[in-house]
Amino acid sequence: MEGHSARLPAPLATHRPASGHILNQQQLQTARTALWHQTAPLLTGDEAKAWVEDLGLCLFLPRHAQLPAPAPSFLEAVHGAPSASPPASALKLASDLVARLIDERTVVPLNLLGTYSEQPDFLVTPEVLPWVTAVRGDRQWNTAPGGRTSPLVVRTWQVLDHEGEASAIELRELLGRELTEAAVLRALIELWTTVRAIPVSKPNAAPGDPARWTLLKNRFPAQLTTGANTAQTTALSALLSIYLRSAVAAAAEEAEIFLSPLTARSRIREVIHGMSAARQFASMSVGSHTLLFVAGSLPENLTVEEP
């Protein structure tokens, strides 16, 4: 991303969609299964890297209860099959592969749902990161958090800014032993959910090894600069396009649900209406539902009928 200006995905600028196409549910699910790599497992770091780079944005684990919208998950791709409860071996392999991609700076782990955990809920590539930070991040990313941020969160940011990288245990020693490790971890997760810090544990870390944390600006300053200079409407337009491609096609409400951890659904709805009115999305019927898709993005082997 460094040295490149942010831009909307090419199909938004080069294709004029036609509406009224018809697709059946089985065809749609077959296309999703192939795109989401649910027919054969991702086994190597190179395979995982290529898959994530192709999508740009995905879930780490399936989140059907929290986000009832069609979306690929890294763990299901590693497992090679859809699964609400994948085996421990698949989770271990997915975690190891993600740690490797994070270490290589190929993937950025995000916690947009605010879960008290060191496990990410979303994964994005550095190319997509500016759109996320434009919507969710702090445009004054190079300075300590302001506003109503708690003093502990501010101090945690300052220590990480000075140290570069540290575990929660090490931060507790630097911040004051009167603090509990749990309190420090809560501060770290708050910095994570506001797209300020990320966990960067090394690949193949021993079980029980504490995660190490660093500020996002230490790894991706160019992307944060781009995000700070990007309008939210532009960023949401790009993210909607990326999501629709990853889902093959989806209802407007499903797009709202998937991106709702970033901003209010009403804001997403406004952008969808604007892009639809400008004919930047095509539509098709699947059963009784109308789904949106990015023109020119449907798989080549997918047969779409005219009404």
Side-chain angles (χ1 to χ4, degrees), residues 30-164:
T30 299
R32 286 173 174 169
T33 298
L35 181 62
W36 298 351
H37 222 283
Q38 294 180 350
T39 55
L42 298 171
L43 298 176
T44 68
D46 289 341
E47 290 177 346
K49 176 182 177 180
W51 184 79
V52 174
E53 287 181 337
D54 185 51
L55 290 176
L57 167 68
C58 69
L59 296 170
F60 177 63
L61 300 176
R63 299 272 181 176
H64 305 302
Q66 294 164 292
L67 297 173
S73 76
F74 187 82
L75 188 143
E76 287 176 312
V78 168
H79 185 45
S83 177
S85 302
S89 58
L91 179 58
K92 174 67 167 60
L93 178 57
S95 298
D96 288 344
L97 286 174
V98 161
R100 171 178 167 179
L101 297 181
I102 293 170
D103 189 53
E104 295 173 353
R105 308 191 183 193
T106 302
V107 158
V108 185
L110 301 177
N111 184 344
L112 301 179
L113 295 172
T115 307
Y116 184 75
S117 169
E118 294 180 347
Q119 188 178 82
D121 45 41
F122 284 82
L123 303 174
V124 301
T125 60
E127 289 72 24
V128 174
L129 181 60
W131 312 126
V132 173
T133 59
V135 177
R136 176 70 175 259
D138 188 342
R139 293 180 183 263
Q140 302 300 321
W141 54 268
N142 207 27
T143 58
R148 297 182 178 180
T149 308
S150 73
L152 177 56
V153 172
V154 173
R155 287 166 55 204
T156 301
W157 185 95
Q158 291 170 337
V159 172
L160 278 177
D161 190 38
H162 182 267
E163 297 295 322

Side-chain angles (χ1 to χ4, degrees), residues 163-303:
E163 297 295 322
E165 186 179 306
S167 68
I169 297 172
E170 292 168 342
L171 285 167
R172 176 176 175 262
E173 294 294 319
L174 294 167
L175 290 166
R177 293 187 179 182
E178 71 278 3
L179 294 170
T180 64
E181 186 181 340
V184 174
L185 185 57
R186 280 194 296 270
L188 286 166
I189 290 174
E190 183 172 335
L191 289 171
W192 193 13
T193 59
T194 54
V195 202
R196 285 278 196 159
I198 55 171
V200 290
S201 295
K202 296 297 182 183
N204 300 315
D209 280 0
R212 300 191 66 77
W213 294 78
T214 190
L215 296 180
L216 200 61
K217 75 184 187 72
N218 292 339
R219 293 199 168 200
F220 303 103
Q223 287 83 350
L224 293 177
T225 299
T226 299
N229 294 314
T230 301
Q232 286 195 4
T233 300
T234 301
L236 279 174
S237 298
L239 289 168
L240 281 165
S241 175
I242 291 164
Y243 168 66
L244 289 179
R245 290 179 187 171
S246 73
V248 180
E253 182 179 9
E254 291 172 332
E256 290 177 26
I257 290 170
F258 184 78
L259 295 178
S260 62
L262 285 169
T263 189
R265 287 183 58 174
S266 59
R267 182 63 179 139
I268 302 168
R269 191 177 306 126
E270 289 176 4
V271 176
I272 292 174
H273 288 166
M275 296 184 74
S276 298
R279 299 181 60 81
Q280 292 181 309
F281 286 153
S283 66
M284 63 181 172
S285 297
V286 178
S288 60
H289 302 286
T290 298
L291 305 188
L292 302 175
F293 66 97
V294 177
S297 70
L298 294 180
E300 293 181 1
N301 60 348
L302 191 61
T303 303

